[in-house]
Amino acid sequence: MTEVRHKQIRFWSGVAFLLAVITGLIVGGVKIQEYLQDAQRAPVQVVDFSGDFSHVNVTRLERLIRQSQPGSFFALDVNEVYKLVEAQPWVYRASVRKQWPNTLKIYLVEQQPVAQWNDDFLLNPYGETFNASADDLGLPKLFGPGGSEKTALEGYNAMQSLLATTAMPIAEMSLSERFAWQIQLENGIELNLGRQEFIDRLQRFIDVYPLLAKQPKAVKYVDLRYDTGLAVGWQEAEDEKS
């Protein structure tokens, strides 16, 4: 009986010990979780922005990050911060990572605006639209049907390259539903280039412009939608005064 009782005592002692261990692990886990969630014990003290940017308001962005992730360094969700940062209008790409013990490091690649699109959006060099304001940048204005952003930008770049040596940059360009090209130069001259061979037609204008510039009246528009030749509209005296 004594041996049986000793076995029972050892068994229940083992059970009690196991329960104590399990209880300790549970309590310890809860305490650790509470500690990790406690922003005062492990706060994100530094949000470090890097990269080449001038339009991104990092002060405002840091405030948004702290409002959306008010917990501790350990509880902060890097993926959520990444989504928030890349949703900002002027951010093209971003990377986000934690750095022990209290820093959130964010690298930003800023959007590079090259043109205004339909008076609603900006275009980056890849023909992608983004919703931001750049009225003070003096960007050219491009217009066209939805989905034609890349085509319009490629056409603009090709024509602008051709005009680079003429001191007549493009101020505004329109691409119609039928993909006919019209441009207005910064000197006010309007060019109707039509749908086909618009680069060759623009070169024709460049070749003949020195002769047009010698005329007593200033050029108002030039219609180049002809296989050969062109049609010229001249400014009247009232137009020149205005």
Side-chain angles (χ1 to χ4, degrees):
M1 292 296 295
T2 302
E3 184 177 350
V4 172
R5 183 169 179 80
H6 284 166
K7 288 182 178 180
Q8 290 178 340
I9 291 173
R10 287 197 299 271
F11 171 77
W12 289 112
S13 297
V15 170
F17 176 77
L18 180 60
L19 290 175
V21 171
I22 293 174
T23 301
L25 290 174
I26 293 173
V27 172
V30 171
K31 293 295 184 181
I32 291 174
Q33 184 67 18
E34 290 176 351
Y35 178 84
L36 296 182
Q37 294 292 340
D38 189 346
Q40 298 303 316
R41 295 182 180 177
V44 177
Q45 293 182 346
V46 179
V47 180
D48 181 24
F49 292 96
S50 60
D52 185 10
F53 51 87
S54 57
H55 297 285
V56 178
N57 187 334
V58 293
T59 302
R60 175 181 174 275
L61 184 53
E62 179 177 347
R63 183 168 63 250
L64 289 175
I65 293 170
R66 292 188 181 278
Q67 289 173 351
S68 68
Q69 298 287 320
S72 70
F73 173 84
F74 300 97
L76 183 141
D77 189 330
V78 171
N79 290 329
E80 290 300 317
V81 174
Y82 170 78
K83 292 177 183 178
L84 186 153
V85 172
E86 284 223 333
Q88 304 307 303
W90 280 104
V91 176
Y92 179 64
R93 290 287 184 267
S95 64
V96 181
R97 65 183 177 87
K98 296 178 183 179
Q99 180 172 291
W100 177 263
N102 56 12
T103 300
L104 181 66
K105 298 187 75 67
I106 300 175
Y107 181 81
L108 300 175
V109 178
E110 190 172 66
Q111 290 277 16
Q112 299 297 317
V114 295
Q116 297 185 56
W117 177 249
N118 287 339
D119 282 336
D120 295 321
F121 299 97
L122 298 180
L123 285 179
N124 66 20
Y126 312 106
E128 301 166 340
T129 59
F130 62 101
N131 190 6
S133 176
D135 295 335
D136 58 336
L137 298 181
L139 298 174
K141 294 184 177 182
L142 309 188
F143 299 88
S148 66
E149 294 88 349
K150 290 185 179 180
T151 300
L153 184 60
E154 288 172 358
Y156 165 81
N157 287 336
M159 289 187 281
Q160 188 62 42
S161 296
L162 198 59
L163 289 163
T165 59
T166 67
M168 292 186 293
I170 297 172
E172 187 173 304
M173 188 204 75
S174 297
L175 184 62
S176 73
E177 294 285 348
R178 299 180 68 247
F179 285 81
W181 300 86
Q182 288 184 319
I183 63 175
Q184 179 178 325
L185 306 177
E186 284 194 1
N187 61 10
I189 298 176
E190 298 177 5
L191 305 180
N192 193 339
L193 300 170
R195 298 173 57 192
Q196 300 175 346
E197 300 178 346
F198 63 94
I199 293 297
D200 292 339
R201 292 171 177 177
L202 181 59
Q203 183 62 60
R204 189 191 311 163
F205 165 76
I206 294 173
D207 293 340
V208 78
Y209 181 72
L211 295 176
L212 298 177
K214 293 179 180 179
Q215 303 305 310
K217 290 185 178 181
V219 177
K220 183 175 183 180
Y221 70 85
V222 180
D223 191 341
L224 295 135
R225 295 174 296 172
Y226 303 93
D227 293 335
T228 59
L230 46 83
V232 181
W234 306 94
Q235 288 188 8
E236 298 300 331
E238 293 79 7
D239 296 330
E240 295 179 4
K241 290 179 182 178
S242 61

